[in-house]
Amino acid sequence: MIAWWVVIGLLGLVALFVAVAFFAFGTQWIQAFAASAKVSMFSLVGMYFRQVKAPMIVHAKIMAAQAGLDITSRNGILTQRLEAHYLAGGNVMNVIQAIIAAQRAGIDLDFDRAAAIDLAGRDVQDAVRTSVHPKVIDCPDPRRSGKATLSAIAKDGVELRVRTRVTVRTNLEQLIGGATEETIIARVGESIISSIGSSESHQTVLENPDMISRTVLRRGLDAQTAFQIVSIDIADIDVGDNIGARLRADQAEADVRVARALAESRRAEAIATEQENRASVSSNRAALVLAEAEVPRAMALAFRKGNLGLINNGKHGE
C-alpha cells in the first residue's frame, strides 16, 4: 500500500512539474512545435535556470527552421549551440539573420563562422550585406583625415589633387583578423601617389586618369584585408601648384645668395690682401729710410778713419 502511495506521489509531482512548466513555457513550446523548430520543454526549463532568454532562442530557432536551415545535424543550428552563443555574449538574432541573408544570396556561411565573426566584434549582418551590395569608400576620407583630396606630384613638378572612390565587398573568409577600411584607404592613397609620381607629365594623367586606377587595381591592395576591391575610380582630379617651378626658383635664389656670399668673400680677401701689400710697402719704405740713414754714418766713419781720402788718392794715383 505504501508503495502505491509513493508511486502516486511521484506521478503527482511529475504532473505538477509538467503543469507548471506548461503554464510557464507552454506558449513558446507550442510556437516552436507549430513551426517544426524542435525546442523541447526540458530545454525551455533549462534556459530558465541558465538565465537564457528563451523567447529569443525560440524565435531564432523558428526563423532558422522556416528559412530551411539545418537545425538537426551536429553542425547545424541546434538549440544548445544558440544558447552557448548567447552565453558567450553573442548576438543570436544577428547571426541567424546573417546566415539567412547569406543563404538567399548564395554565399557560403555556416553557423560556426558567423558566430566567430560576431564574437570577434564585427557586425556579421552588415558584412553579409556588404558582400551582396558592395559599398563605396572615399579616399581620402574627410571624416578620418580631414583632407578632401590626395596631393601627388608628377615628374614635371606639377601638383595634382585627386579624390578617389573605392568600391569594396566584404571577404567573409578573411573577415576575422583581416585589415579594416583604414588599411584599404592608406594602401590606395599610397599607390595613387606613387603612380602619379612615376608619370612623366601631369598632362598624361589628366588625359588618361583611368590608367592610374587600372595600375593601382592590379597591385592587389586587398591582400590580408577583410575586403575585396571591386573597382577604383578617379572621382575628381584638379591641377594644383607648379611645385617643380617653385622649387627651381627657390634653388636659383639660393644659388644667387651663395654666389653673392662667395663674391663678397673674395672681395674681402682682396681688400685684406691690398691692406697687407700696403703694410708691406710701408715696411719696405721704413727699411729704406733706415738704410739711407746709415749711409751718412758710414761716410762719416770712413772719413774719421781716413779711408775716404785714401780711396780718393788711390784713384788719383791711378
Side-chain angles (χ1 to χ4, degrees):
M1 181 66 66
I2 298 177
W4 282 104
W5 283 108
V6 171
V7 172
I8 292 173
L10 292 175
L11 292 176
L13 290 175
V14 171
L16 179 63
F17 173 79
V18 172
V20 173
F22 191 83
F23 178 79
F25 308 105
T27 303
Q28 299 169 12
W29 180 81
I30 292 174
Q31 289 177 351
F33 179 79
S36 301
K38 297 183 180 180
V39 180
S40 65
M41 185 65 71
F42 290 102
S43 297
L44 293 173
V45 174
M47 292 181 202
Y48 173 78
F49 289 107
R50 288 189 290 269
Q51 296 184 352
V52 176
K53 293 182 179 180
M56 182 182 64
I57 299 298
V58 171
H59 189 196
K61 195 73 177 293
I62 291 174
M63 288 178 58
Q66 293 299 311
L69 301 180
D70 181 14
I71 61 172
T72 58
S73 66
R74 183 176 180 181
N75 295 326
I77 304 176
L78 301 178
T79 305
Q80 293 82 357
R81 305 186 77 190
L82 293 176
E83 290 185 51
H85 187 65
Y86 174 82
L87 293 173
N91 190 331
V92 175
M93 295 302 299
N94 209 23
V95 170
I96 296 299
Q97 291 173 359
I99 295 175
I100 294 174
Q103 183 196 40
R104 295 291 186 268
I107 300 174
D108 183 19
L109 179 64
D110 55 14
F111 180 80
D112 290 332
R113 183 183 301 173
I117 293 173
D118 183 65
L119 293 177
R122 301 291 183 90
D123 190 343
V124 61
Q125 191 173 359
D126 181 70
V128 173
R129 189 182 303 114
T130 306
S131 297
V132 179
H133 300 288
K135 68 177 180 180
V136 178
I137 303 174
D138 290 327
C139 180
D141 190 349
R143 296 172 299 177
R144 293 186 174 94
S145 63
K147 297 180 180 179
T149 58
L150 292 171
S151 178
I153 303 175
K155 287 185 178 181
D156 58 358
V158 177
E159 178 192 22
L160 294 177
R161 296 175 182 148
V162 183
R163 185 167 58 89
T164 309
R165 308 198 76 182
V166 184
T167 305
V168 298
R169 66 162 50 99
T170 304
N171 187 349
L172 294 176
E173 295 182 357
Q174 296 184 356
L175 188 58
I176 300 176
T180 57
E181 295 181 12
E182 288 78 4
T183 302
I184 295 289
I185 294 174
R187 289 182 180 179
V188 171
E190 179 184 359
S191 297
I192 289 177
I193 293 174
S194 176
S195 298
I196 294 177
S198 61
S199 301
E200 294 295 333
S201 172
H202 73 284
Q203 296 179 351
T204 304
V205 180
L206 293 176
E207 292 173 358
N208 301 295
D210 58 331
M211 177 184 65
I212 300 298
S213 59
R214 289 197 305 268
T215 302
V216 174
L217 190 60
R218 287 195 298 265
R219 294 182 178 179
L221 303 179
D222 52 5
Q224 303 301 321
T225 66
F227 300 96
Q228 177 185 359
I229 296 178
V230 178
S231 66
I232 299 176
D233 304 297
I234 305 297
D236 189 18
I237 182 169
D238 296 323
V239 179
D241 298 332
N242 194 335
I243 305 297
R246 189 172 66 188
L247 291 176
R248 288 191 292 270
D250 293 342
Q251 185 62 44
E253 184 178 355
D255 293 341
V256 169
R257 288 197 296 266
V258 171
R260 287 177 180 174
L262 293 175
E264 185 66 23
S265 176
R266 288 193 295 269
R267 189 177 71 85
E269 291 178 358
I271 293 175
T273 302
E274 182 181 2
Q275 295 297 328
E276 291 177 357
N277 292 335
R278 288 181 179 179
S280 178
V281 169
S282 299
S283 177
N284 293 334
R285 286 179 180 176
L288 177 61
V289 171
L290 292 175
E292 289 178 350
E294 291 294 329
V295 171
R297 294 177 58 188
M299 293 178 63
L301 181 61
F303 182 76
R304 286 197 300 269
K305 292 182 177 182
N307 294 333
L308 183 62
L310 293 175
I311 294 173
N312 290 334
N313 292 332
K315 288 183 179 180
H316 288 299
E318 293 176 357

